[in-house]
Amino acid sequence: MGQPLIIRREGHVEHVVLNRPDVRNAFNPALIEALRVWAVSAAASTDARAAVLSGAGKAFCAGGDLAAMSATVDASRDENLEDAARMAAMFEALDHLPIPLVGRVHGAALGGGLGLASVCDIVVAADDAVFGFTEVKLGIVPSVISPYALAKIGRSAARELFLTGARFDAARAREIGLVHAVVPEERLDETVNRYVSEILSAGPGAVRQAKALIRRVAGRPAGEVSVFTAETLADRRVSREGQEGMRAFLEKRQASWVVR
Ligand code: COA
C-alpha cells in the first residue's frame, strides 16, 4: 500500500494528488489525516502561492470510503463522533488554506469528493466527469460537506441535489457554481496551468488578502464592512507590494513577483 497522498512542490506551487486509485480515491482515515496535515503545513508556508488538488487513476474522488464507514457500526458513539469530527477538521483546514486551491476534476467527484471540490477556490473539470451528492442514495447525508457545498451552490440547487442524490454532468456543475471551467480531459492540465499562471502573475500578498477578504465580507451587508474594506484598500495601496505593482504598470515593466 503506497502513500494515500502524494505531495510535490514545483516552485511556488504545491501539487497534491489523492492516491488511492483502486477505490477511486475514496477517503479513509489515513487520507483524511494526510490531507489535514498537508493543509496545516501549506498554510504555514510563506513561499507557497498556489496549490493544485487532483486524483490519481480513473477519478478525482469517490467521497468517503464506504467500506470504512460501514465498518464503524462496531465503534462506540464517541468513536464515531471523533471519526466524523476528523473529517470535518480536514474540510475546515482545506477551506481555510490562505492560498488559492485549484481543483482538477476528472472521472467523478461524488459525495465527499464534491465536498473537496467545494473547498477549492477554482475548479476545472473534464467534460465527461460525473458529479453527485449521492449520500442519500446510500442512506447517509451530505452533512460535513454541507457548509462548503451550500456556500457554492445555494439552497435551491442543494434542495434538488441533496434530496435526490442524482448524478449530474460537468455542464450542470458549472451552471450551479461548483465548477469554473469545463474542458476535454486532455486539456485539463493546460487549463489548470493557465489559472496557476494567472495567480503567479499577481501579488502574492494581495492574492492571500483577496481570499481572506471574501471570507470576511461574504454574506454581510456593505454598511457593516465598509470600515474594514476602506482600511484594507488604504493599507494595501501604500504597501510595498501595492506600490511595486502600480509602479510596474506605470513603468511598463513586470512586477518583481511575476513568475513565467
Ligand atoms: N468507497 C469505497 N470504495 C469505493 C468507493 C467509495 N466511495 N467508490 C468506489 N469504490 C471502489 C469500488 O467498490 C470498486 O472496488 P472493487 O474493485 O473492489 O470492486 C473500485 O472502487 C472501483 O469502483 P468501480 O465502481 O468499479 O469504478 P468505476 O470507475 O466504474 O466507477 C465511480 C467509479 C466513482 C463512479 C463509482 O465507483 C461510484 O459511483 N462510487 C460510489 C461513489 C459514491 O456514491 N460516493 C459517496 C460516498 S459518501
Side-chain angles (χ1 to χ4, degrees), residues 20-24 26-27 58-59 61-69 107-108 110-113 130 132 134-135 138 140 167:
R20 300 188 73 219
D22 292 350
V23 289
R24 305 299 180 259
F27 38 78
K58 290 188 179 167
C61 179
D65 187 316
L66 296 167
M69 281 205 278
L110 297 167
V130 56
T134 51
E135 284 87 343
L138 302 158
I140 53 178
R167 295 179 187 223

Side-chain angles (χ1 to χ4, degrees), residues 4 17 30 41 53 85 114 117 124 132 145 151 159 194 201 209 214 233 252 256 260:
V17 185
S41 76
L53 179 63
L114 257 191
V124 180
I145 65 170
R159 288 171 84 148
R194 245 199 348 261
S201 67
Q209 202 164 5
I214 296 166
L233 172 61
K252 303 188 190 310
S256 57
R260 290 271 172 229

Side-chain angles (χ1 to χ4, degrees), residues 70-81 83:
S70 80
T72 55
V73 69
D74 296 324
S76 70
R77 178 144 202 282
D78 281 351
E79 285 167 333
N80 263 308
L81 264 178
D83 191 63

Side-chain angles (χ1 to χ4, degrees), residues 111-159:
L114 257 191
L116 287 182
S118 300
V119 294
C120 290
D121 299 290
I122 298 162
V123 178
V124 180
D127 55 7
D128 58 355
V130 56
F131 298 81
F133 296 99
T134 51
E135 284 87 343
V136 290
K137 300 281 201 219
L138 302 158
I140 53 178
V141 180
S143 175
V144 160
I145 65 170
S146 62
Y148 313 105
L150 268 167
K152 284 272 167 95
I153 70 175
R155 284 187 201 206
S156 177
R159 288 171 84 148

